[in-house]
Amino acid sequence: MPHRSVSLASLRQGRLWQWWERQRRDPFVVQTLRSTAAATISYVVALQLSSEPAPLTAPLTALLVVQVTLYSTLVTSLRRVNSVVVGVLIAIAFSVLVGLTWWSLAMVILAALVVGRFVRVEEFVAEVAISAMLVLGVTQVADTAWDRVLETLIGAIVGMVFNMVLVPPVWVDTAGDSIVDLARRMRQLLLGLGEELTDPAVPREPDPFGDFDGPTSVDLAAARLYEARRLDNDVADVDAALRQAEDSLRLNPRVKEGLLHRIVLRTGLDTLEISAVVLRVLTRTLTDLARERDGAALFRPETARTLQEAVRYLGDTLVSFAVLVTSHSSSGAETAENRLAEQLDAAREARDRAAGMLRAEAADDPGRWQLYGALLAEIDRVLNELDPDHRGRRLMEELDRHTREREARRRKVTSLAGRRARRSS
């Protein structure tokens, strides 16, 4: 019994640790804790420096400034501070003149949105109006105007310092998990296609009313086509996670090769996105073929089994590719690269055998060779995208492009500095 109690306790501790790890890597949890801490600290500081009994503008500004990544904080802080300060000043001006009424609220919103366009706060135009409304509701005395401005500056400074001192985490692991999950969903789609190739339809029996029950091969193929189209939403979700990871790598002192990490992940997602598009076309080809076959088997049994083997290996290569581009260690990347090479060879071999069988089938029915050729071309396209040589060329092209852009920016800055130096002299 004591041994069993120790085992149960260890199991609970392990589950608790896994739960904590998931929460620690969740952007929502991290952002919630950081925003709460920054807002609280700014409120405590404002209590010491402001004459207001409840300086709520400071925590409000800190909430607007604190971001989930250091790069986004540095890039957007000036815009947010600008929008908040402008909104506060507009609200102060209206509170001094007229106070809070329904028509003054309308004028504040209109003025804030118009002024926000002119001060170039970009996507934070709405925050000018939001800040103005919030401050207008609590600012009714002209003597408190400068206190509100002071509170805004306190919140902005605390928010920026908070993100600089406590650097936000790097979200590469989260983005990597999303990429691998996308590849696994694509693999599941291919496995489902393979099963339908060998068992394309469930027999339909007429019921007493003369209707038919059970899906046909056309129904199953159309369902797979719809599933392939849903991959677009999955790609969009992964792209959002990757953009956050890219921001977390920029200007982060804990990352030495941020540019290389960003390029590896971005090009990896681009490859999977292209593969998802090709898979959608592949499912469309099978749907058209199923309509032509009108309920009959799509291929001969041996051909169907060979194609099933090819698409199964194709799904395996997608997962191995995702593991490769998200590996952090050289040993893990080497293992994933070797596995990818083996699976690519197996997929190409199965594809070649299927091509010979499809040629034999097309000899009996030449009208279907166009769809057979499209099917093989789509498999080839995915295999070519996943090929390590193709990926190596793509990485070099992206690195060269970033290097050229960086040199162009450097030359532009140097040219501007030289012109100002000549003008001053």
Side-chain angles (χ1 to χ4, degrees):
M1 290 299 294
H3 177 71
R4 183 178 180 182
S5 300
V6 172
S7 300
L8 290 175
S10 301
L11 181 61
R12 293 193 186 97
Q13 291 178 356
R15 290 178 177 176
L16 181 61
W17 176 256
Q18 292 176 358
W19 176 85
W20 167 248
E21 284 295 314
R22 288 195 301 270
Q23 298 301 317
R24 188 176 64 85
R25 296 170 57 185
D26 189 342
F28 173 77
V29 174
V30 174
Q31 177 70 2
T32 300
L33 294 177
R34 293 173 62 83
S35 298
T36 302
T40 304
I41 293 174
S42 64
Y43 180 74
V44 173
V45 174
L47 282 176
Q48 304 299 320
L49 301 179
S50 176
S51 61
E52 285 292 307
L56 295 177
T57 308
L60 168 65
T61 307
L63 286 174
L64 296 175
V65 169
V66 174
Q67 295 294 296
V68 74
T69 65
L70 178 62
Y71 175 77
S72 58
T73 297
L74 296 178
V75 170
T76 62
S77 286
L78 291 178
R79 293 178 182 175
R80 287 181 179 272
V81 171
N82 193 16
S83 65
V84 172
V85 170
V86 171
V88 169
L89 293 178
I90 292 174
I92 290 173
F94 272 85
S95 66
V96 171
L97 296 175
V98 295
L100 179 60
T101 62
W102 68 268
W103 60 269
S104 67
L105 178 63
M107 294 298 295
V108 165
I109 296 175
L110 178 62
L113 293 177
V114 172
V115 174
R117 293 292 181 182
F118 285 100
V119 297
R120 295 183 179 182
V121 294
E122 303 298 337
E123 67 269 25
F124 303 120
V125 171
E127 290 187 6
V128 179
I130 293 172
S131 301
M133 287 189 295
L134 292 176
V135 174
L136 183 64
V138 296
T139 304
Q140 298 297 321
V141 182
D143 295 338
T144 64
W146 293 111
D147 287 329
R148 298 304 177 189
V149 176
L150 175 63
E151 293 168 19
T152 301
L153 294 176
I154 291 173
I157 294 173
V158 169
M160 287 188 289
V161 172
F162 189 86
N163 275 289
M164 292 178 182
V165 175
L166 299 177
V167 181
V170 178
W171 301 108
V172 174
D173 290 340
T174 303
D177 293 341
S178 300
I179 291 175
V180 174
D181 289 341
L182 173 63
R184 286 173 177 165
R185 286 193 290 271
M186 296 167 68
R187 178 178 179 271
Q188 289 298 320
L189 172 63
L190 288 168
L191 292 179
L193 286 175
E195 293 176 358
E196 292 167 13
L197 291 175
T198 55
D199 187 16
V202 178
R204 300 195 305 171
E205 297 293 339
D207 65 14
F209 299 98
D211 296 328
F212 291 90
D213 296 324
T216 64
S217 58
V218 178
D219 298 330
L220 295 174
R224 293 299 176 188
L225 175 59
Y226 178 73
E227 184 178 351
R229 287 171 176 167
R230 285 203 309 248
L231 288 175
D232 291 343
N233 297 330
D234 297 332
V235 171
D237 293 338
V238 178
D239 182 70
L242 182 54
R243 285 199 303 271
Q244 181 175 268
E246 290 171 337
D247 286 348
S248 70
L249 291 172
R250 291 188 177 100
L251 305 179
N252 197 315
R254 294 183 296 176
V255 180
K256 297 181 179 179
E257 298 181 355
L259 176 61
L260 181 60
H261 284 297
R262 296 201 307 269
I263 292 178
V264 168
L265 291 176
R266 175 56 63 183
T267 54
L269 178 59
D270 290 343
T271 298
L272 291 181
E273 184 176 5
I274 293 173
S275 301
V277 173
V278 177
L279 289 185
R280 187 167 68 244
V281 178
L282 187 148
T283 55
R284 179 70 193 198
T285 300
L286 291 176
T287 303
D288 294 340
L289 186 60
R291 288 196 179 99
E292 286 195 4
R293 300 295 290 176
D294 193 20
L298 301 183
F299 307 99
R300 294 171 184 172
E302 184 63 25
T303 304
R305 285 193 293 270
T306 305
L307 283 173
Q308 181 186 32
E309 183 180 358
V311 296
R312 178 171 59 84
Y313 281 125
L314 189 63
D316 293 339
T317 58
L318 287 168
V319 176
S320 297
F321 175 83
V323 173
L324 172 62
V325 300
T326 57
S327 296
H328 300 302
S329 62
S330 57
S331 59
E334 183 178 359
T335 301
E337 187 174 4
N338 293 334
R339 186 183 303 113
L340 175 61
E342 294 175 358
Q343 292 168 348
L344 282 172
D345 292 339
R348 289 193 178 101
E349 181 182 353
R351 180 265 176 208
D352 293 340
R353 286 190 284 110
M357 296 177 182
L358 288 174
R359 280 195 295 268
E361 291 195 24
D364 298 333
D365 190 357
R368 293 197 179 93
W369 174 246
Q370 182 178 3
L371 291 176
Y372 292 165
L375 180 63
L376 295 173
E378 288 144 13
I379 294 175
D380 287 339
R381 179 64 186 274
V382 177
L383 293 176
N384 292 335
E385 287 292 331
L386 300 177
D387 186 85
D389 294 335
H390 176 79
R391 172 165 176 76
R393 290 192 297 270
R394 177 72 189 283
L395 286 174
M396 292 303 299
E397 291 173 357
E398 287 296 314
L399 285 172
D400 291 341
R401 183 177 65 84
H402 279 274
T403 301
R404 290 194 300 269
E405 292 177 354
R406 185 166 51 191
E407 287 296 323
R409 289 194 297 267
R410 185 184 64 81
R411 287 195 297 268
K412 185 176 180 180
V413 171
T414 303
S415 177
L416 291 174
R419 291 178 183 176
R420 291 181 179 179
R422 288 192 296 268
R423 290 175 181 176
S424 60
S425 60

